[in-house]
Amino acid sequence: MTKRCRQILSNIHPYKKLIVSAVMASSVLITPVFAAETTQLNYDDFKPNEYWSDDMIWATEQGLIKGYIDARHPITDKKGNWLNPYGDLTEAQMLSVLFQYFAKEELAASGSTPGFWALAQYQLADEYDVMTRGISSSNDTMTRGEVAMALATIHFGRKVDLETAIQFMYDSGLSTGYTDKNGEKPKTFASYGATDPVRRAHIATFLHKYDLYVKETTVKSETTDTSSMHMETIDQIVQLVNQERSTRGLRPLQLYSGLQLVAEMKAKDMADNNYFDHESPTYGFFSDLLLEASVDYDKAGENLAYGYPDAEAVVKGWMASEGHRKNILDPTFTHIGVGVYEDDQDKRYYAQVFIDER
């Protein structure tokens, strides 16, 4: 089941703690399976449960991948609407997809080029130091290795060799490589499959994961200093929550980096934008943040608070509220993320995110 197959139901319980002048709210998101939203991609060969399903949806929404409408399938010759996820990419097509993502405005400004449709893409490749085979080979099928080198070159702003490019694909989470005979993904140079042809689904997946990687690293760089300042508070909150669960015979919650990122983003967003609500003017609901962070789950919950001076006070406040206490003591939750952020008046904002990991 893809993450887009879920409908989110929100139950918000407002609560006001007058003693400390802190307003709190809690929300439990339950995620039953409904009709897959992915079926809105009206292509005869689209499948909602493939590894590339969400990535191809994203790529088509971004205008990076376009389907073939009322056309003959390149293999079966059957007429219909085709996404062709397993189709090979030529060099010209690869450059077009890459620069539609990395240099969309520059590509649009170049306008149409008489004589050869991808001339602007090759000019951009020169500007970005992306190695190509040349215009005379524009119809050659590209390899996974060549795409890796192009992505890494654009990312680092300099030419890189194939070994460095493949390591970048692994380190940034863009690829896990192929599975070996033991069912493992060793993430070696050989298991990447550098000489294999790159498919349309491959480049959609690489770019979607790259987009998530850039967003995550950007947010991490913005929140690292503040997060490190409050790590002791965060650790104390997790300990106090697990103490409450332990006294009731419940398993402890584990910190999870993906949830930690979401909680930190939420706390920082509330402080920066001076609001207190489950719906962010920047990110939407926290379920949207979970999706952006590629966190998969069956059930998720969020607790928010502000104005409390320390970990003990905020956990006591949450435990005094039925909605928040229900999240903290939910026996199905397995993981937690906690964010703490102070605004320019030293008022603290807190966010807890829980999931039942799938």
Side-chain angles (χ1 to χ4, degrees), residues 234-235 237-246 250-256 259 301 303 324-338 352-357:
I234 290 170
D235 289 341
I237 289 174
V238 175
Q239 290 173 12
L240 290 168
V241 164
N242 281 332
Q243 285 176 17
E244 295 288 352
R245 292 175 65 88
S246 177
L250 301 173
R251 61 185 169 184
L253 300 174
Q254 302 296 318
L255 271 174
Y256 172 39
L259 290 184
N303 284 347
H324 301 82
R325 185 171 63 250
K326 186 176 180 180
N327 277 345
I328 290 173
L329 301 180
D330 191 317
T332 65
F333 285 145
T334 57
H335 291 78
I336 187 174
V338 178
Q352 278 184 322
V353 184
F354 310 86
I355 63 165
D356 172 9
E357 190 177 42

Side-chain angles (χ1 to χ4, degrees), residues 14 52 104 127 133 174 182 232 251 306 316 349 355:
W52 45 259
K104 186 175 183 178
E127 291 179 23
R133 300 184 189 183
L174 273 62
N182 298 317
E232 184 177 353
R251 61 185 169 184
Y306 78 90
K316 282 184 177 179
Y349 287 79
I355 63 165

Side-chain angles (χ1 to χ4, degrees), residues 185-207:
K185 291 182 180 290
K187 294 185 179 180
T188 62
F189 182 89
S191 69
Y192 176 74
T195 59
D196 290 351
V198 66
R199 314 295 186 186
R200 285 160 60 87
H202 289 161
I203 199 164
T205 299
F206 293 159
L207 284 175

Side-chain angles (χ1 to χ4, degrees), residues 2-115:
T2 65
K3 290 183 281 295
R4 288 178 177 266
C5 293
R6 304 195 192 96
Q7 177 174 333
I8 307 295
L9 304 179
S10 180
N11 179 24
I12 299 178
H13 307 277
Y15 179 77
K16 189 172 185 179
K17 187 175 179 64
L18 299 177
I19 297 175
V20 292
S21 300
V23 182
M24 302 190 297
S26 77
S27 174
V28 177
L29 300 186
I30 303 173
T31 56
V33 179
F34 285 85
E37 184 180 330
T38 52
T39 56
Q40 292 179 5
L41 275 189
N42 190 26
Y43 294 100
D44 299 327
D45 55 350
F46 179 79
K47 299 177 181 179
N49 297 315
E50 296 292 335
Y51 77 88
W52 45 259
S53 301
D54 283 347
D55 305 315
M56 289 295 275
I57 291 171
W58 174 84
T60 56
E61 289 175 347
Q62 300 298 314
L64 306 179
I65 298 288
K66 295 181 180 179
Y68 305 96
I69 306 300
D70 195 26
R72 297 286 182 183
H73 192 278
I75 297 176
T76 66
D77 201 40
K78 183 179 178 181
K79 196 170 185 179
N81 297 334
W82 309 108
L83 196 57
N84 195 22
Y86 299 110
D88 296 341
L89 275 183
T90 66
E91 181 169 84
Q93 290 169 339
M94 179 196 75
L95 293 176
S96 182
V97 173
L98 287 177
F99 290 119
Q100 184 66 22
Y101 176 80
F102 286 106
K104 186 175 183 178
E105 292 183 1
E106 295 173 69
L107 198 58
S110 66
S112 59
T113 306

